[in-house]
Amino acid sequence: MENPVANKFFDIVVVGAGPAGLSFARCLRDTDLKIALVERSPLKVLQNPPEDGRDIALTHSSERVLKELGIWDHFPINQIGNIRDAKVLNGKSAYVLHFDSKTTGSEYLGHLVPNHVIRRAAYEMVKNQENVTIIAGVDVIDTETNLSGGSVALSNGSTLNCTLVIAADSRFSDMRKKMGIDAPMHDFGRTVIVCEMTHSKPHNDTAFECFHYEQTLAILPMYGDKSSVVVTLPTDKSQHLLDMSANEFASDIQQRFGGQLGDMKLATKRHAYPLMGVYAEKFVKTRFALLGDAAVGMHPVTAHGFNLGLSGAYTLATEIKTAVAKGIDIGAASVLGKYQAKHRAVARPLYIGTNALVKLFTDTSMPGRILRGAALRLGNILPPVKKKIVQQLTEIDP
Ligand SMILES: Cc1cc2nc3c(=O)[nH]c(=O)nc-3n(C[C@H](O)[C@H](O)[C@H](O)COP(=O)(O)OP(=O)(O)OC[C@H]3O[C@@H](n4cnc5c(N)ncnc54)[C@H](O)[C@@H]3O)c2cc1C
């Protein structure tokens, strides 16, 4: 049988049809650029991604971009949670750092949407896009680029030639390694366990982040009487929580949260993710760019990962569209260099700030505890500090 993509030439080959790769392809819907999107998961997984426990807090800017791309319209209404208030608690202290949506002039700080819903909606929008060819169930095994073009070798024996290669192949990106881009990994030595839980008392659209010295517990409001539960703890202590029966786990979380949500019940599987941060030393090379987690893999505590990936996808697509309009080669170093400069300017402070926050809130030493208490009070007392935090939580502009 004839291979439909063998020896075909594309303007852009995107490795990875995760949320970043799909959103990037969607950003280029109004161009004549021919795009191949190669994904190792089978087509049925792209069509109906499994629930993976990640519930994504979306900023106002992401909401705007997802609406512009038509992706938001594919979110079922009963899958969109509202975050109106956020409260941060420090250990057993009764002191609360409170972020109230009213102070932002908006009705909410952000929305919470399950990752599998975002992935399905993004696929729905891209699947019939005329300039995109989706090649699913196939691994990219190698890539090479030079001044005149790039090539991508697939596990089915085909080779795709192109003008530009984009790697959106996760924080463990093989393409980044193959292209010789250094990306120091930061192992936080912690694992995050995520799941959804129903409860007998309403959450009132309030998100809680409770820092208990070695462990953190985040409870994020979903649609209805359901919350996303995120427990972060040292990796060697995580198995114990995963081994608990559903009832034991539910009463453990209920107790950790002081029963504030009444009776709690596990509504999904528990999923565990070892926490690794990564920040690539450069985002571009000859006719090659890193996108999404492949460029920056964030600790989830500040909920920036996908928001940042989406902002990067929008920035890169905008530079490419400008190049097309001016008749410039889309893989030119000047085009990719602009993406790199703009995206690094947004990503670097978020990456450094998030890692500093993680350090502050996991430091069990006495100075660490005092500093943490002071930071929470300063956040409440100093309006500019609070405003800056809220701005970072609600907006990541492309
Ligand atoms: C517990 C948790 C909670 C989170 N909460 C938030 C949040 O609240 N807000 C937020 O913004 N972000 C959050 N994130 C981060 C967010 O999930 C990620 O930033 C986002 O999923 C990254 O998308 P991506 O497309 O870059 O990578 P991925 O989702 O990792 O997708 C990469 C894709 O590439 C494919 N692939 C890899 N290698 C190859 C290859 N060689 N050939 C073909 N295909 C390949 C993979 O199969 C995969 O489909 C959270 C993450 C976790 C773990």
Side-chain angles (χ1 to χ4, degrees):
M1 201 175 91
E2 199 198 340
N3 184 335
V5 292
N7 306 321
K8 251 198 174 179
F9 185 87
F10 291 92
D11 294 298
I12 302 175
V13 175
V14 182
V15 185
L22 284 166
S23 306
F24 170 72
R26 186 66 195 150
C27 287
L28 293 173
R29 68 201 175 284
D30 50 0
T31 69
D32 293 327
L33 296 169
K34 291 202 176 353
I35 303 163
L37 200 46
V38 189
E39 169 58 49
R40 66 159 59 115
S41 308
L43 191 61
K44 64 175 193 292
V45 170
L46 286 180
Q47 290 165 335
N48 201 7
E51 178 272 317
D52 61 10
R54 301 185 204 190
D55 294 303
I56 307 293
L58 295 167
T59 59
H60 292 169
S61 359
S62 292
E63 181 181 350
R64 281 195 295 276
V65 171
L66 291 168
K67 282 183 173 161
E68 183 184 324
L69 300 182
I71 294 174
W72 190 277
D73 294 341
H74 283 268
F75 296 163
I77 201 81
N78 63 358
Q79 294 279 10
I80 306 175
N82 299 319
I83 307 175
R84 281 182 212 282
D85 287 316
K87 293 182 176 171
V88 183
L89 294 98
N90 178 23
K92 292 200 166 81
S93 161
Y95 197 83
V96 175
L97 175 60
H98 185 191
F99 300 103
D100 182 345
S101 61
K102 285 190 207 108
T103 61
T104 67
S106 170
E107 278 176 38
Y108 48 83
L109 295 169
H111 291 292
L112 197 72
V113 180
N115 194 40
H116 69 101
V117 171
I118 298 176
R119 289 178 61 198
R120 187 170 51 222
Y123 172 75
E124 280 300 310
M125 287 313 294
V126 172
K127 71 177 187 194
N128 294 325
Q129 200 171 304
E130 268 185 19
N131 62 341
V132 174
T133 304
I134 296 178
I135 305 164
V138 175
D139 252 63
V140 172
I141 53 173
D142 203 2
T143 187
E144 279 177 20
T145 61
N146 58 37
L147 287 175
S148 53
S151 67
V152 167
L154 308 186
S155 56
N156 64 6
S158 315
T159 298
L160 309 179
N161 295 309
C162 58
T163 304
L164 174 62
V165 178
I166 307 288
D169 55 343
S170 87
R171 67 185 64 202
F172 303 106
S173 171
D174 285 336
M175 296 308 117
R176 190 177 62 210
K177 275 186 223 133
K178 290 200 186 292
M179 291 298 288
I181 298 180
D182 259 5
M185 285 253 173
H186 181 81
D187 185 344
F188 291 97
R190 277 157 206 279
T191 292
V192 62
I193 297 174
V194 280
C195 62
E196 293 173 8
M197 298 184 77
T198 52
H199 34 80
S200 57
K201 288 189 185 165
H203 49 49
N204 298 322
D205 297 336
T206 303
F208 287 89
E209 186 92 45
C210 317
F211 292 98
H212 298 279
Y213 310 123
E214 279 221 298
Q215 308 188 356
T216 64
L217 171 66
I219 308 240
L220 310 168
M222 305 189 73
Y223 184 86
D225 287 335
K226 193 156 82 157
S227 291
S228 173
V229 172
V230 185
V231 189
T232 310
L233 69 178
T235 298
D236 57 351
K237 298 195 173 128
S238 59
Q239 196 55 43
H240 172 62
L241 219 58
L242 292 166
D243 288 342
M244 284 179 179
S245 71
N247 286 344
E248 280 169 343
F249 179 81
S251 56
D252 183 85
I253 298 295
Q254 192 175 314
Q255 199 188 337
R256 280 172 202 245
F257 198 48
Q260 292 186 66
L261 289 174
D263 285 339
M264 298 183 78
K265 285 203 174 72
L266 198 55
T268 60
K269 264 174 66 177
R270 283 158 277 182
H271 300 263
Y273 295 92
L275 289 176
M276 293 276 190
V278 63
Y279 192 90
E281 286 198 338
K282 41 179 131 162
F283 293 173
V284 302
K285 231 177 153 175
T286 307
R287 295 190 179 278
F288 179 85
L290 295 172
L291 194 65
D293 277 16
V296 188
M298 303 275 292
H299 188 295
V301 69
T302 46
H304 284 325
F306 172 61
N307 291 300
L308 187 61
L310 183 63
S311 138
Y314 198 90
T315 302
L316 179 56
T318 304
E319 294 306 330
I320 289 173
K321 284 195 264 190
T322 306
V324 171
K326 290 183 177 168
I328 300 171
D329 172 4
I330 58 165
S334 59
V335 175
L336 301 183
K338 280 189 196 138
Y339 157 65
Q340 169 163 265
K342 287 184 181 169
H343 195 41
R344 282 179 97 80
V346 174
R348 198 165 168 73
L350 293 179
Y351 188 72
I352 293 172
T354 297
N355 290 358
L357 187 82
V358 171
K359 195 162 185 311
L360 178 67
F361 280 94
T362 48
D363 188 347
T364 50
S365 70
M366 191 46 81
R369 291 180 192 206
I370 293 168
L371 201 59
R372 189 165 46 231
L376 289 186
R377 281 170 169 77
L378 273 181
N380 255 344
I381 295 163
L382 296 178
V385 174
K386 201 163 178 175
K387 197 169 163 207
K388 183 80 195 154
I389 299 173
V390 171
Q391 196 189 352
Q392 282 215 338
L393 289 174
T394 57
E395 301 282 345
I396 298 181
D397 279 325

